[in-house]
Amino acid sequence: MKLCMIGTGYVGLVSGVCFSDVGNTVYCVDKDQKKIDLLNKGIVPIFEPGLEEILKKNYKQKRLIFTSDLKKAVINSDIIFICVGTPTKKKTNSADLKYVFSVAKDLKKIIKKYKIIITKSTVPVTTGDKIEKILSRLKKKKLVDVVSNPEFLREGEAIRDFIYPDRVIVGTDSNKANRTLKSLYFPIIKKSSRYFNTSRKGAELIKYASNAFLATKISFINEIANLCEKAGVDIKDISLGMGSDQRIGDRFLRAGPAYGGSCFPKDTRALIDTGNKFKTDLSIVKSVVNSNDKRKTLLIKRVEKILGSKLKNKIITFLGVTFKPNTDDMREASSIPMIKYLNKKYSKIRYYDPSGEKEDLKGLNNVNYCDTISSACLKADLVILHTEWNDFKLLNFKKLIKKQKFKIFDMRNMYSAFRMKKLKIDYYGIGR
Ligand SMILES: NC(=O)c1ccc[n+]([C@@H]2O[C@H](COP(=O)([O-])OP(=O)(O)OC[C@H]3O[C@@H](n4cnc5c(N)ncnc54)[C@H](O)[C@@H]3O)[C@@H](O)[C@H]2O)c1
């Protein structure tokens, strides 16, 4: 089939590359010409394990085309995926749909032959209706079907998630569009039980409900971790004990910093906003957002407590700053408010992240990127293990820090508290 991905970011690029790998011809369009130029040189602009190899293979086979020419890409494709960003609108909780609607307006001018238009971007319930309204002239002539096909891939494991999805949700009441999408996804899902055809609005809401539920699990275990700290219980035992119950499941039950990233924070906020629009009080989601916001401050206070409130001139090293491992994405990473606060208190911050230096932390006085773990840790007063990259799992802190007294704050409970005690390292974890 001939596909067009509009927006070549984390979702559009991964989906486009994976669809091309099963034999489709995929036009990947982006208005960011720099991104397109990089991709045409075989340079992947994001950090996503395994992506470059598949991209290069399919580019060579001419199944992948990177372009900023939307018209050409749309005319040559049967299925158009909208994969642009849907960030939070400034000073509100609502999803900013300006990029989505702007694409719909462009499509209105280009389409002359039947196309399936799909929102892969995460969009609030009824967005599909609004897109259809923009395209009403084409809809009347039966030249378009507007479908919702939300994406569930996780950054860092995106290829695996896309190729072996738990489920594919397709929201449409058009038999024609449904049949086409089923055959598009067939090589990926293989088991047809994983393909769900729902209403368009249902598909839109499934995505938000899923993300809000996962955010709830994280916030829940984080709050239980707070209780564990006071009650002298190890949160790892609780996660294990709870997670072994199949009704609960063990994933997203690891205590740590506030959740961040490009999805959970904005999607929980947008769901609350949707609830308000439909006069429905989503009180659980509201308290999750509130709990997560509080957690950012709580962990900052914990750092202050560990260092005895004397933050000035203390060397604080962050190992990992991204919101999760195996991605370079810094959107709403909890390290950002922490580093900014500590910086204001005149601490000397160093950080190392396997995905490289971060734009978000450039220009801050006394915040420096180090390109090795050892240069970041040398003579540190406190090392904060913020993101659980594999690179940080077997470190010899005494050798790295080369100092008599230092502290470790392991925000991901990567190390054994018992072993740290044996090594006489001043060690702090979460919920222990
Ligand atoms: N990142 C994830 O892990 C993830 C997972 C599931 C769903 N989603 C959802 O997918 C959507 C995209 O997320 P993302 O992380 O890939 O975003 P992103 O910011 O990485 O990429 C969006 C891309 O769209 C491009 N763009 C914007 N307007 C355009 C236009 N008119 N024409 C062509 N290109 C345009 C931008 O230049 C950018 O490259 C969001 O709605 C997000 O919530 C993201």
Side-chain angles (χ1 to χ4, degrees):
M1 286 187 212
K2 289 190 172 144
L3 317 178
C4 168
M5 318 304 294
I6 306 179
T8 309
Y10 289 87
V11 163
L13 184 59
V14 171
S15 320
V17 167
C18 292
F19 275 136
S20 74
D21 203 42
V22 289
N24 299 290
T25 300
V26 186
Y27 287 85
C28 291
V29 183
D30 209 288
K31 62 177 184 182
D32 182 346
Q33 188 60 48
K34 267 196 221 146
K35 211 176 247 190
I36 295 299
D37 293 343
L38 284 176
L39 286 163
N40 276 317
K41 284 184 200 148
I43 301 168
V44 179
I46 55 169
F47 185 103
E48 185 58 54
L51 186 61
E52 189 175 308
E53 205 186 339
I54 315 177
L55 183 148
K56 283 186 169 159
K57 183 177 93 184
N58 289 287
Y59 187 75
K60 226 177 174 177
Q61 297 295 327
K62 299 195 169 21
R63 284 197 292 258
L64 261 179
I65 300 120
F66 298 110
T67 178
S68 51
D69 187 343
L70 179 70
K71 191 170 176 187
K72 186 174 150 206
V74 170
I75 290 172
N76 284 308
S77 304
D78 313 302
I79 309 177
I80 320 290
F81 286 91
I82 303 178
C83 308
V84 298
T86 48
T88 305
K89 210 183 239 176
K90 267 189 191 142
K91 292 183 188 158
T92 69
N93 273 337
S94 64
D96 192 344
L97 296 172
K98 68 174 178 236
Y99 303 110
V100 173
F101 292 146
S102 142
V103 170
K105 283 172 195 159
D106 287 340
L107 293 177
K108 182 180 160 181
K109 291 179 223 150
I110 299 170
I111 293 173
K112 305 268 183 293
K113 238 179 88 190
Y114 177 75
K115 313 272 176 202
I116 302 175
I117 316 279
I118 299 177
T119 45
K120 207 166 230 335
S121 299
T122 303
V123 292
V125 60
T126 70
T127 303
D129 300 351
K130 290 170 188 152
I131 295 174
E132 203 168 270
K133 213 169 168 191
I134 296 173
L135 302 174
S136 60
R137 182 177 50 83
L138 300 174
K139 181 71 192 161
K140 270 183 210 144
K141 292 185 185 165
K142 296 200 166 59
L143 288 181
V144 287
D145 274 316
V146 178
V147 176
S148 166
N149 170 220
E151 183 50 57
F152 297 95
L153 61 78
R154 292 164 297 169
E155 286 172 22
E157 296 175 66
I159 307 273
R160 199 195 148 278
D161 284 350
F162 196 84
I163 300 176
Y164 305 105
D166 289 339
R167 78 299 207 190
V168 170
I169 307 282
V170 171
T172 180
D173 58 6
S174 153
N175 287 334
K176 186 176 173 184
N178 188 35
R179 268 199 314 274
T180 310
L181 282 168
K182 212 168 189 175
S183 47
L184 172 67
Y185 274 109
F186 187 72
I188 291 171
I189 50 170
K190 298 210 170 70
K191 288 184 197 148
S192 54
S193 60
R194 300 213 166 157
Y195 181 96
F196 297 112
N197 176 211
T198 66
S199 66
R200 188 168 61 206
K201 289 200 284 189
E204 290 168 340
L205 195 49
I206 285 168
K207 173 67 189 175
Y208 280 98
S210 302
N211 275 0
F213 190 77
L214 294 172
T216 305
K217 269 186 109 174
I218 296 173
S219 294
F220 180 85
I221 205 69
N222 281 343
E223 287 200 354
I224 297 294
N226 294 343
L227 179 59
C228 283
E229 280 164 22
K230 301 257 166 73
V233 178
D234 190 334
I235 189 66
K236 276 199 163 175
D237 293 344
I238 308 296
S239 298
L240 193 68
M242 279 178 73
S244 312
D245 184 331
Q246 284 187 15
R247 293 168 303 176
I248 297 171
D250 58 1
R251 292 162 82 186
F252 288 78
L253 269 192
R254 275 185 299 157
Y259 62 73
S262 61
C263 293
F264 291 175
K266 80 170 175 65
D267 293 347
T268 42
R269 289 193 293 261
L271 185 58
I272 293 169
D273 180 71
T274 302
N276 290 342
K277 282 178 182 149
F278 284 88
K279 298 195 171 21
T280 305
D281 181 18
L282 299 174
S283 65
I284 295 175
V285 189
K286 281 181 192 164
S287 64
V288 166
V289 170
N290 189 20
S291 167
N292 198 56
D293 284 343
K294 276 200 214 146
R295 187 148 193 88
K296 293 175 199 159
T297 323
L298 197 124
L299 288 203
I300 288 171
K301 284 200 179 131
R302 188 97 201 274
V303 172
E304 280 189 315
K305 200 171 166 200
I306 289 170
L307 283 175
S309 299
K310 290 174 211 125
L311 297 174
K312 194 171 176 184
N313 290 328
K314 290 279 191 246
I315 300 175
I316 303 178
T317 297
F318 277 74
L319 291 182
V321 288
T322 49
F323 81 97
K324 65 188 276 191
N326 297 321
T327 183
D328 55 353
D329 202 339
M330 284 295 284
R331 286 178 278 186
E332 306 225 25
S334 64
S335 59
I336 299 174
M338 261 184 240
I339 289 177
K340 286 191 173 163
Y341 178 84
L342 296 170
N343 182 241
K344 268 193 189 155
K345 297 280 175 183
Y346 305 105
S347 300
K348 293 180 176 161
I349 311 288
R350 294 191 209 136
Y351 73 96
Y352 169 78
D353 193 282
S355 68
E357 193 174 3
K358 301 294 161 213
E359 273 306 313
D360 304 73
L361 302 174
K362 276 186 186 163
L364 291 170
N365 263 345
N366 281 323
V367 176
N368 292 304
Y369 174 70
C370 302
D371 55 12
T372 59
I373 297 176
S374 48
S375 57
C377 289
L378 189 72
K379 309 278 180 222
D381 294 295
L382 172 68
V383 171
I384 296 178
L385 286 153
H386 176 270
T387 317
E388 72 275 40
W389 290 84
N390 276 343
D391 314 48
F392 306 144
K393 283 184 178 159
L394 283 171
L395 300 178
N396 182 336
F397 291 106
K398 284 194 168 169
K399 259 193 170 167
L400 282 169
I401 297 171
K402 294 189 177 121
K403 198 173 164 179
Q404 271 285 311
K405 278 189 165 184
F406 62 85
K407 297 174 187 218
I408 305 287
F409 186 9
D410 179 359
M411 292 188 176
R412 303 286 178 173
N413 291 341
M414 292 162 82
Y415 285 81
S416 147
F418 177 72
R419 204 174 138 60
M420 285 291 175
K421 201 171 171 190
K422 257 184 123 180
L423 291 168
K424 298 198 168 57
I425 290 179
D426 207 349
Y427 172 85
Y428 304 82
I430 294 276
R432 308 168 139 179

